[in-house]
Amino acid sequence: MVNIGVLALQGSIVEHIHSLSLIEGINPCEVKSVSDLEKISGLILPGGESTTMGKLIKDFGLNEPIIKRAKEGMPIWGTCAGMILMAKEIVNENYVHLGLMDISVRRNAYGSQLDSFNSTASIPVISHEDIPLVFIRAPWVETAGEKVRILTRVNNRIAAVQQDNMIATSFHPELTTNLVFHKYFTGIVKKYLKT
Ligand code: GLN
């Protein structure tokens, strides 16, 4: 079994755990401590409230250990607030959380009218079928560095990116019944375990 962790301090934890539990060979684990982090081979940072989650990561002493594991190559995937935690810059805030990915993001970027909306996208690297996308007070990626691969744009805004072992999505695959993103991430984790 492959242990994949979900940061379990705040946010869409049970939804990610449920999606992972539907994938054969995966053992989903809640991550709340440094010792939980040591047992996993991939980590999901869920959606929620990035300021709260960022504060809790620090309070629980997880900031440096997560950064260290990411730099050692462990796959990490941030959804929505998780994307904000991973960004090197938040253009409308004056702080950074983990600063792992070479992206700048805008919090609550879609504004009040489009606070929450559904869309679909075809993302050939992930799946041949259209994928349902759920946006809830989502960030978008404003700029992406050279090493960052853009996986999809929605309304002309970058909504999913990958940089080596790290993925970030503005939307919430864990709030749909579609498992393609979780399967894609699982594939990255399995490749990492073979290296
Ligand atoms: N608006 C939230 C934030 O800035 C993110 C929302 C979400 O994760 N659905 O942290």
Side-chain angles (χ1 to χ4, degrees), residues 18 46 49 150:
H18 177 68
E49 180 57 42
I150 293 165

Side-chain angles (χ1 to χ4, degrees), residues 21 29 40 45-46 53 57 73 89 98 104 125 136 147 175-176 187:
S21 73
C29 314
I40 55 164
L45 306 175
M53 238 187 290
I57 288 176
E89 190 191 352
L98 298 165
S104 69
V125 66
I136 301 170
K147 289 188 185 149
L175 299 183
T176 75

